[in-house]
Amino acid sequence: MFREIFTAWHNWFHIIDNQHIMSLLIASFLSTIVTLWLCFHFRRKLSFNKSEISVLLFLTVLVLWSVLSDFPFGGTVSRIGIVLSVFFLLKVIYGKIPTLFHSASTVMLWIGLAEILYATACSRNEATGIRGHFDNPAGFAAFLIMILPYCFLLIGSRNRYKRWTGLGILAVFVTGLILSESRAGIVSVLCVISIILYQRYRDFTRSKQSPKFRIGFLTASLILLTTIFTALYFQKKASANGRLLIWRASMELLREKPISGHGAGSFQALYMPSQAKFLGNHQDHPLSFLADNTKHPFNEYLGALIQYGILGFLALGCIALLFYKQIRAVHLSPVKRCALLSLTALAVFSLFSYPLYYYVILCLVGIDLFILSNQQHTSFGHVPIWILTLISIPVSSWAVFYTAKQLQMTSKWEICMKEYPHSTNRPAIISLYSELYLKKNFYDPLFLYNYGAVLNNESLYHQSIQVLNHCRKIYDDADVQIIQADNFYQIGNYQAAEQHAVQAAQMCPNRFLPLYYLWKIFQKNGRKQEAIAIAEVIVQKPIKVENIEIRKIKLIMQKFLLQENDS
């Protein structure tokens, strides 16, 4: 009994770590709450100002672009749904809680402190910077930089104790960012502090009108910024160069469809083949050794350009600019300034990372947008609640049904992955995999990859080829290509096996396994000189990460070359 309960909780927490599933859960839960509120206030009207309409228009355009995409849009829509649901939930309860803004900021600060303490307590097990409950220090840093500006609500207080509390919390947050080793987080917080210092001492700088003062001030600022960026670059030079490679290869995708874009959710399917094409045409590229499987562009703006094109990017940019002008047209209260700084920090962070991948960040975006757009005693128009209810009921119903279905199938998949390695009845596990794929239409990209690998391991090569071909339409990387190469090699289609092995080798030139498959193919086809050439490449190739399998491959190649030299 206790074992079953423990297993259930273990599976549940493993699912919580799945960003896609959690995004669906949060979006469906919040949309249901909003729908229930609308149902109990059926005869009322809800007023919207221009800023709120701009936010809703921006999110609606994103949803429409996602739905029209040729790629699965569930992940994108669920993430937009989180922002929209948080925004609407705050909209409907704001009148009931007048102190909502300050209460929310206080709660966020305490949550941030708790997360830093938890991350510090777990830091002994981290090979990199601290990351707390997140799967990566980037998510942890993004979370902190979005909450950090709210420290200045306390720092700006007239109460001495609140000021010192605010300074203490700010110091803890900055320390947490440094311990996370997130360069994007450090740059973001420096930008926030610079903006605050500029606003604080703006009158002082205006009083110094002499050209010498301006030139000296700008020169000192440029030297300081150059020094900071150089230090951050050399702190993790390989990581920084890896991002430069990703941005360069991503530009090839942008060139293919610059106007309309490839569609929402297209990056995971198209980037790695694009990287293979780029590195195949630039085999001596100095950064090729750093290439690896990539799921994110490490720049949200570049990702938006690839997915939505210049046309979509400009449309979204115009709406965002309109929103900014509207909120600047009115007096910004201290809490609104903090919300604006929070989004500014996120905008800077997005230049170097992928913060919008995390559902917690999306919740904070929804909070910030509502704080900024909320304007008392201003209304652009009223919408009868019955209209919103008619829209909300089918949307929330679909969200709950879709989420329940995805959660059920993900749970079954978790069971399959856990039981397969030790199962004595593997045909039953394969049957469950098949049911999820064929009958339940479960097309999660990682599930398809896992199912294809399992079929390959069970020597069901034709079925594995079919599943992995489906996987490649929505997610492709070097690992998928390697399994496909093995599938075709096992059924004797050496030409197709060679194509996939070459593709995998070009995707990640530092990998040894694709070259090993090429050597096997050349050996099988009697292409002796090509086999010798690839063996020499493997022997001389430097190892990026030490691995027993790589050492075995190198030993096999050394023995092969010795035999060839003796003969």
Side-chain angles (χ1 to χ4, degrees):
M1 179 67 179
F2 288 107
R3 183 179 179 182
E4 292 176 358
I5 294 173
F6 175 79
T7 303
W9 275 105
H10 178 271
N11 291 336
W12 171 247
F13 280 112
H14 194 78
I15 289 170
I16 283 179
D17 198 43
N18 186 320
Q19 294 292 323
H20 173 57
I21 292 297
M22 282 304 298
S23 296
L24 288 172
L25 281 170
I26 293 172
S28 59
F29 176 71
L30 294 178
S31 64
T32 302
I33 293 176
V34 172
T35 302
L36 290 173
W37 186 93
L38 293 173
C39 290
F40 284 104
H41 297 77
F42 195 73
R43 296 188 179 183
R44 296 185 182 181
K45 293 181 179 180
L46 205 60
S47 61
F48 294 91
N49 58 47
K50 290 182 180 180
S51 299
E52 292 170 335
I53 290 173
S54 297
V55 172
L56 296 176
L57 181 61
F58 183 91
L59 297 174
T60 302
V61 170
L62 275 177
V63 170
L64 290 176
W65 236 289
S66 301
V67 171
L68 295 174
S69 171
D70 293 331
F71 297 87
F73 57 84
T76 306
V77 172
S78 65
R79 284 172 167 77
I80 299 168
I82 289 177
V83 179
L84 192 60
S85 298
V86 169
F87 183 86
F88 256 108
L89 184 61
L90 294 174
K91 173 74 177 173
V92 298
I93 69 173
Y94 175 64
K96 304 290 184 182
I97 311 175
T99 59
L100 178 66
F101 291 164
H102 286 83
S103 300
S105 62
T106 303
V107 170
M108 287 191 292
L109 288 174
W110 283 112
I111 291 174
L113 284 173
E115 182 65 17
I116 292 171
L117 292 174
Y118 173 79
T120 306
C122 300
S123 60
R124 295 180 181 178
N125 301 323
E126 304 296 344
T128 57
I130 62 174
R131 58 187 178 92
H133 287 92
F134 295 84
D135 64 345
N136 191 292
F140 175 75
F143 176 67
L144 293 187
I145 61 105
M146 285 201 73
I147 299 177
L148 182 143
Y150 289 96
C151 294
F152 294 98
L153 278 177
L154 297 174
I155 295 172
S157 172
R158 294 181 180 180
N159 186 304
R160 182 178 61 180
Y161 298 106
K162 286 186 177 180
R163 285 201 304 271
W164 282 107
T165 302
L167 287 170
I169 294 174
L170 178 63
V172 173
F173 272 52
V174 172
T175 303
L177 283 169
I178 293 171
L179 292 176
S180 73
E181 300 180 12
S182 170
R183 292 155 298 167
I186 294 170
V187 170
S188 300
V189 76
L190 286 174
C191 288
V192 169
I193 293 174
S194 299
I195 292 170
I196 291 172
L197 290 175
Y198 171 75
Q199 292 174 342
R200 181 72 176 83
Y201 298 104
R202 182 166 45 191
D203 295 335
F204 171 77
T205 54
R206 284 178 179 174
S207 66
K208 304 292 184 179
Q209 295 295 329
S210 64
K212 290 183 179 179
F213 176 81
R214 294 182 195 172
I215 293 171
F217 181 78
L218 288 173
T219 303
S221 300
L222 287 173
I223 291 173
L224 180 62
L225 287 173
T226 303
T227 304
I228 291 171
F229 274 98
T230 303
L232 291 174
Y233 171 79
F234 282 102
Q235 181 192 3
K236 293 182 180 179
K237 186 178 178 181
S239 175
N241 287 335
R243 295 188 189 196
L244 292 174
L245 174 64
I246 292 169
W247 295 342
R248 178 63 185 86
S250 296
M251 294 304 295
E252 301 298 318
L253 275 178
L254 185 59
R255 287 195 184 108
E256 292 176 8
K257 286 188 176 182
I259 306 300
S260 61
H262 293 276
S266 59
F267 187 84
Q268 290 191 4
L270 302 178
Y271 172 74
M272 289 304 293
S274 177
Q275 179 171 285
K277 182 179 178 182
F278 173 75
L279 293 176
N281 294 332
H282 302 82
Q283 296 184 3
D284 297 327
H285 196 282
L287 303 180
S288 61
F289 185 68
L290 300 171
D292 207 342
N293 288 331
T294 301
K295 298 180 182 179
H296 309 282
F298 287 89
N299 185 308
E300 295 287 4
Y301 308 101
L302 181 58
L305 279 169
I306 291 170
Q307 295 179 89
Y308 305 112
I310 295 174
L311 185 64
F313 190 82
L314 288 176
L316 295 172
C318 289
I319 299 172
L321 182 61
L322 177 64
F323 173 73
Y324 179 75
K325 285 185 175 181
Q326 288 166 351
I327 62 174
R328 293 291 294 177
V330 298
H331 172 71
L332 289 178
S333 63
V335 71
K336 286 180 181 287
R337 290 181 185 275
C338 292
L340 184 58
L341 283 172
S342 177
L343 290 179
T344 302
L346 180 67
V348 175
F349 195 92
S350 297
L351 287 167
F352 312 102
S353 193
Y354 46 93
L356 299 181
Y357 169 71
Y358 298 98
Y359 57 85
V360 176
I361 305 303
L362 296 169
C363 291
L364 293 175
V365 169
I367 294 171
D368 286 341
L369 288 175
F370 175 73
I371 291 174
L372 284 170
S373 62
N374 184 269
Q375 299 167 15
Q376 290 182 338
H377 311 300
T378 59
S379 176
F380 183 72
H382 299 273
V383 179
I385 285 185
W386 67 266
I387 294 178
L388 296 175
T389 306
L390 289 179
I391 298 172
S392 181
I393 288 176
V395 170
S396 60
S397 299
W398 176 84
V400 170
F401 174 77
Y402 181 78
T403 302
K405 183 180 177 183
Q406 291 293 312
L407 186 60
Q408 181 188 29
M409 291 188 292
T410 302
S411 300
K412 289 183 178 180
W413 174 34
E414 294 281 346
I415 293 171
C416 290
M417 285 194 296
K418 183 179 179 180
E419 293 185 0
Y420 174 75
H422 313 290
S423 176
T424 56
N425 187 15
R426 288 190 172 181
I429 303 295
I430 300 297
S431 177
L432 185 55
Y433 269 110
S434 179
E435 180 185 351
L436 288 172
Y437 177 63
L438 296 175
K439 296 182 180 179
K440 302 293 185 180
N441 297 325
F442 187 39
Y443 298 148
D444 182 284
L446 295 181
F447 164 76
L448 295 176
Y449 168 74
N450 174 236
Y451 183 28
V454 167
L455 291 171
N456 171 269
N457 190 57
E458 294 297 315
S459 302
L460 301 172
Y461 302 114
H462 290 281
Q463 294 179 42
S464 180
I465 289 170
Q466 180 185 358
V467 171
L468 291 178
N469 280 337
H470 188 177
C471 179
R472 289 175 58 204
K473 294 178 182 178
I474 52 180
Y475 175 76
D476 197 3
D477 65 7
D479 295 325
V480 174
Q481 294 291 339
I482 289 171
I483 297 175
Q484 284 290 61
D486 184 66
N487 284 331
F488 283 106
Y489 177 83
Q490 297 296 341
I491 65 174
N493 189 341
Y494 301 120
Q495 183 178 358
E498 182 178 350
Q499 290 174 355
H500 286 286
V502 169
Q503 181 84 332
Q506 291 176 344
M507 284 180 173
C508 300
N510 56 65
R511 296 282 185 95
F512 283 79
L513 201 54
L515 300 179
Y516 176 65
Y517 270 102
L518 284 173
W519 174 79
K520 289 175 65 177
I521 293 166
F522 295 151
Q523 281 280 86
K524 200 75 172 180
N525 288 339
R527 296 155 65 177
K528 190 173 182 179
Q529 294 303 317
E530 291 174 279
I532 293 173
I534 205 75
E536 291 175 346
V537 170
I538 292 174
V539 169
Q540 297 172 7
K541 193 177 184 64
I543 299 175
K544 183 179 179 181
V545 180
E546 283 290 341
N547 187 294
I548 296 176
E549 294 300 323
I550 293 175
R551 288 296 178 188
K552 288 181 180 179
I553 291 173
K554 277 184 169 284
L555 285 173
I556 292 171
M557 295 302 106
Q558 289 169 355
K559 290 180 181 179
F560 168 73
L561 291 174
L562 285 173
Q563 291 174 358
E564 291 298 323
N565 290 333
D566 292 340
S567 61

